Amino acid sequence: MRRFYAAAAVIGTLVPWLFFGSFFALNGFDVRAFILGLFANGAAAGFSADVLISMVVFWVWSWQDAQRRVLQHWWLVVPAGFTVGLSLALPLYLWMREDA
């Protein structure tokens, strides 16, 4: 499973950053425009809200799970979530969890 989680983390990083990269190439590093784009219409807003809520739930669950399993590097899922998203944070955590 570690190989699967590692591959999922790599794919989960590259695919979103292809989209993020094209956005930043067109708009520059405009964080305000990026956030407004997340909620540009009902479809985007619903999808964004779903992912953001899922991220918060994942962070709470993984923090508690890491405490029980004594995972030292749990905190890496937080910047992973902020810089890429759940598509990196979740497989990264599952990869770390496989050793515990």
Side-chain angles (χ1 to χ4, degrees):
M1 288 303 294
R2 275 181 68 81
R3 285 186 185 159
F4 172 74
Y5 294 141
V10 169
I11 293 166
T13 299
L14 294 176
V15 171
W17 269 101
L18 288 173
F19 292 102
F20 297 157
S22 69
F23 174 86
F24 291 127
L26 291 173
N27 301 290
F29 193 71
D30 188 345
V31 176
R32 184 176 184 275
F34 184 79
I35 292 170
L36 289 174
L38 293 175
F39 299 92
N41 58 50
F47 190 78
S48 296
D50 177 68
V51 172
L52 293 170
I53 291 166
S54 297
M55 179 62 77
V56 171
V57 171
F58 167 69
W59 280 334
V60 171
W61 170 81
S62 63
W63 177 75
Q64 284 194 320
D65 186 65
Q67 299 301 306
R68 283 191 294 264
R69 294 175 179 273
V70 191
L71 292 179
Q72 295 179 16
H73 302 291
W74 166 87
W75 60 271
L76 290 171
V77 302
V78 175
F82 278 116
T83 58
V84 177
L86 191 58
S87 62
L88 168 60
L90 177 59
L92 173 64
Y93 182 76
L94 294 173
W95 179 82
M96 290 188 297
R97 195 173 186 250
E98 282 292 308
D99 271 348

